[in-house]
Amino acid sequence: WLKRIKKWKLILEVEEIYGDVSGNERLKKRELLVCKSADAFIFPTQLLSDAVNFRQKPYILIHGTYQVEPDRGIKFNDGKIHVVYAGTFDPRKGGAMAAIAGKSLPENYHIHIIGFGSERDKKYLLDKIEEVSKTSKCTVTYDGLKSGEEYIRFIQSCDIGLSTQNPDAAFNETSFPSKVLSYLANGLRVVSIRIKALEQSAVNDLLFYYDENSPQAIAEAVKRINPETVYDSRKRIADLSENFVREIEALTRD
């Protein structure tokens, strides 16, 4: 209605279909209805464009944060390989599975869990960490909720970031795991479940995938990584940022 009066160009940034996350079909229909009003889009994935851009309007992609964080020069320096899961404790996102993966890792690994969740989800996660710690050679710890500079410094102290979530969840088809870009922007190698949104992304070749949704598969993928090899994810993120600036200038100008 406002577009008809004002005659403006409407560019929608659509990050995900929230109806898929909540399982609410009525909400999803309302979201798709709004999308029909757009003249152009900003999406995180090609899959999301395929799902909502029915009229083939112009669009560009931005997978997540392209803010490269300079190296703070901070490491644990204890001879161990440090692996971090950062994010929600929602069971669909795999925080507990990341902790359980510690059972299949040797003593020179340390898995850190940081993030947030409901009291119920947090208790479940802490119980799993306690259970794993009783028998695992690998160290597994819950390190609290980090934000801002504290988050950046903690993340950069680690070597590998985990993106562990249920590959069968509906939201995987229309969203991009934000933690993947956060890890890459801080120079970490990333272990992730194989999903189409990542395989079709501009960072696909930087990721280390596992295919079976199990703690053992996560551990095997982690062990395949040699943190001593040359790896520069920051350069890729910086390149994507420059490219996005050019693309959004063209999108708003046309």
Side-chain angles (χ1 to χ4, degrees):
W1 181 76
L2 285 171
K3 275 188 62 184
R4 288 197 295 269
I5 295 174
K6 294 293 186 179
K7 307 297 182 183
W8 64 35
K9 179 178 182 179
L10 175 61
I11 301 176
L12 282 183
E13 180 179 0
V14 184
E15 287 297 321
E16 61 185 334
I17 298 175
Y18 290 102
D20 282 343
V21 177
S22 62
N24 187 329
E25 283 297 320
R26 184 178 178 185
L27 173 59
K28 181 176 180 177
K29 288 180 181 179
R30 289 169 56 197
E31 292 178 279
L32 296 179
L33 184 62
V34 171
C35 289
K36 290 181 179 179
S37 301
D39 299 299
F41 293 95
I42 302 171
F43 292 122
T45 69
Q46 179 62 50
L47 290 173
L48 188 52
S49 176
D50 296 340
V52 307
N53 190 7
F54 306 115
R55 298 177 180 177
Q56 300 298 304
K57 296 292 185 177
Y59 69 93
I60 56 177
L61 300 180
I62 180 169
H63 297 317
T65 177
Y66 287 168
Q67 179 174 327
V68 175
E69 293 295 343
D71 190 348
R72 277 28 173 205
I74 301 171
K75 288 293 180 184
F76 285 102
N77 291 323
D78 57 1
K80 293 189 175 185
I81 297 172
H82 289 262
V83 184
V84 61
Y85 169 89
T88 174
F89 300 155
D90 183 329
R92 295 176 299 173
K93 297 292 186 175
M97 191 173 291
I100 299 170
K103 288 185 176 181
S104 302
L105 289 171
E107 64 277 359
N108 62 320
Y109 285 85
H110 185 151
I111 294 180
H112 302 268
I113 309 293
I114 63 174
F116 58 93
S118 67
E119 287 302 314
R120 179 180 179 181
D121 289 344
K122 183 178 178 180
K123 182 180 185 306
Y124 177 76
L125 177 63
L126 292 176
D127 288 345
K128 287 298 178 184
I129 292 175
E130 182 179 2
E131 176 187 321
V132 170
S133 297
K134 291 178 181 178
T135 58
S136 173
K137 294 180 180 179
C138 167
T139 303
V140 182
T141 57
Y142 169 63
D143 294 275
L145 175 62
K146 312 289 184 184
S147 61
E149 181 63 21
E150 183 184 25
Y151 167 82
I152 293 170
R153 293 173 72 88
F154 190 91
I155 288 291
Q156 291 194 11
S157 298
C158 299
D159 306 293
I160 299 168
L162 296 179
S163 179
T164 51
Q165 57 191 50
N166 181 358
D168 299 322
F171 55 75
N172 283 328
E173 291 296 315
T174 53
S175 64
F176 191 96
S178 59
K179 60 171 63 65
V180 169
L181 268 292
S182 180
Y183 293 147
L184 295 175
N186 282 283
L188 275 68
R189 293 160 175 81
V190 180
V191 166
S192 173
I193 185 70
R194 189 185 300 276
I195 56 175
K196 288 183 181 179
L198 292 176
E199 286 190 297
Q200 295 182 8
S201 76
V203 297
N204 171 56
D205 60 307
L206 295 177
L207 309 180
F208 299 83
Y209 291 114
Y210 61 95
D211 295 291
E212 179 187 333
N213 190 31
S214 70
Q216 295 80 12
I218 295 170
E220 288 303 314
V222 167
K223 287 189 286 187
R224 287 198 297 269
I225 296 175
N226 179 2
E228 301 302 320
T229 57
V230 176
Y231 181 83
D232 189 1
S233 58
R234 288 185 176 91
K235 174 65 166 56
R236 176 68 57 81
I237 301 303
D239 290 344
L240 290 174
S241 179
E242 292 178 6
N243 185 60
F244 177 75
V245 170
R246 290 191 295 269
E247 289 183 335
I248 199 169
E249 286 177 346
L251 189 71
T252 55
R253 183 172 58 246
D254 293 342

